[in-house]
Amino acid sequence: MRFRAFLGLSAILLHSPYVGADYTTTVNAKSNRGTWDGWGTSLAWWAREFGDRTDLADIFFTLKTQTFLGVSLPGLGFNIARYNAGASSWNTYSGESMVQSSNIIKSRQVEGYWQDWGSADPTSSSWNWAADRTQRQALTNAMDRGVTRVELFSNSPMWWMCKNHNPSGASDGSENIASWNLEQHAIYMATVAKYFNDNWGVQFESVEPFNEPSASWWKANGTQEGCHIDVSTQATVINYLRSHLDSFGLESVIAASDESYYDQAVTNLQTIGSTAISKIARVNVHGYQYGAGSRNGLYSLVSGANKALWNSEYGDGTASGLDLASNLLLDFRWLLPTAWVYWQAVDGDGWGLVDGDNDSGQLNTVNQKYWVLAQFTRHIRPGMRILDGGSSNVVAAYDSSSNKLVIVAVNYNTAQYINFDLSSFSKRPADGTAVVRWSTQISGGDRYVQHSSDTTISGSKFWSYFSTNNVQTFEVTGVSL
């Protein structure tokens, strides 16, 4: 969520991705850091306004190159979409209605489906399945373009499930879901998953009932939907949710708990209890601790519990892509997620990949961070095996179906040559074989420039010159582990 204090590169980096001049990195062919599930974005706010835009769907959810806002854009190829089950509605029931924050931003209110507590029957008048049309259209557009992994998530329970009827939070940031509505929230999420499956052909791979639940910033005067939920309460809701998903015959797994910080996720897993953990198939965490926090500590807990791990939400306000690149590399190095999801693909103040106003409907420009992210998303594809790139500023992936090695490297400070050593691979291309590379200048300049013949194999190595704040991707064919 974008209102939090921005830590960015000003934070003390526990595992710095910055490296010295002119060096060699050795890609470890024997390493295995997981099979890549993919890349994605959450729909929610931008889809509420722009869900009908097929051109946005094309650039986010395909690999096609097309002209957008007068610029030739390579598609990002996202294969994951997260759909937000809203918490707002503007009806009155039994004399009661939603309490709205005086600071709420309209685009950050998502209309929910279960609009009063009169009946849990989804065919009753308590439910409005015509709500949230544009976000649903954005999901349809994404799936039509090949999105294969879809998650349902909640920022807050429906307004009437909240103690103060305000889906932005309690006045003091404390727990705001009423104790008598814990099962109701689980029923809501399971019923939405069931209705989407039966009526719109959407099979949610996972259902996440929370969003940054341990955070204390979800307050009644906030700008968006949010709800603090204590860890013990989360455990209760998770148990209810698994029961109701099962009763509907749904195979959707539960993901939790989408904590904002890596350290919050560590505490959550250490305290939520074995019963809840047994019902969680995947741990979702957000990347808003930026350069701080125990990424490796979280990975150890998750892998020890034999759970999957996604960075299910990351965003920052640096339009150049510098913070995005550094934090993504930190995730690959220390967190070891198998998927990575950008929060709002369209947003203002440097947060969007595309700069736009989700309230006025104005699209302005494509931020440089779009091309920085393209270096990763277009080349590290679902099903690839993530390898140890040998350095903190290098990530590698291997496609066994095509015997292709992908290397993405970022150089920050001093311009230098980086040598890539492939000596650990059992088969390598012959001397002189061309290595295709793509280059993006983080601070502006080259956006996504392909070079097909200026880099070649020499023995077990190849090398390339990196200017300051430069990201390059290399594809090496004819490689065997």
Side-chain angles (χ1 to χ4, degrees), residues 292-320:
S294 182
R295 285 171 165 90
N296 53 339
L298 177 57
Y299 171 75
S300 294
L301 281 175
V302 174
S303 59
N306 198 30
K307 307 296 181 183
L309 176 61
W310 283 12
N311 185 331
S312 55
E313 183 179 316
Y314 173 88
D316 67 58
T318 305
S320 70

Side-chain angles (χ1 to χ4, degrees), residues 155-157 161-162 166-170 173-178 210-215 218-219 224-230:
N155 284 329
S156 166
M161 300 181 194
C162 299
N166 185 337
S168 290
S174 62
E175 181 168 271
N176 199 35
I177 184 172
F210 317 116
N211 178 71
E212 301 175 2
S214 293
W218 303 124
K219 296 185 178 181
Q224 61 194 67
E225 296 175 349
C227 184
H228 177 92
I229 301 177
D230 293 337

Side-chain angles (χ1 to χ4, degrees), residues 11 18 28 37 43 78 97 126 128 141 201 204 215 241 264 330 375 401-402 480:
Y18 300 96
N28 185 353
D37 290 329
L43 302 179
F78 290 160
S97 57
S126 294
N128 178 13
N141 291 342
F204 288 109
L241 179 57
Q264 289 173 336
L330 285 171
Q375 292 280 354
S401 65
S402 61
S480 297

Side-chain angles (χ1 to χ4, degrees), residues 82 151-153 205-210 238 241-242 245 252-258 279-284 310 312:
R82 301 184 74 229
E151 179 166 85
L152 175 67
F153 76 100
E205 173 183 333
S206 51
V207 179
E208 163 59 282
F210 317 116
I238 286 169
L241 179 57
R242 184 68 269 163
L245 290 171
S252 303
V253 302
I254 295 176
S257 285
D258 275 81
K279 293 175 171 57
I280 297 170
R282 186 177 70 239
V283 173
N284 281 2
W310 283 12
S312 55

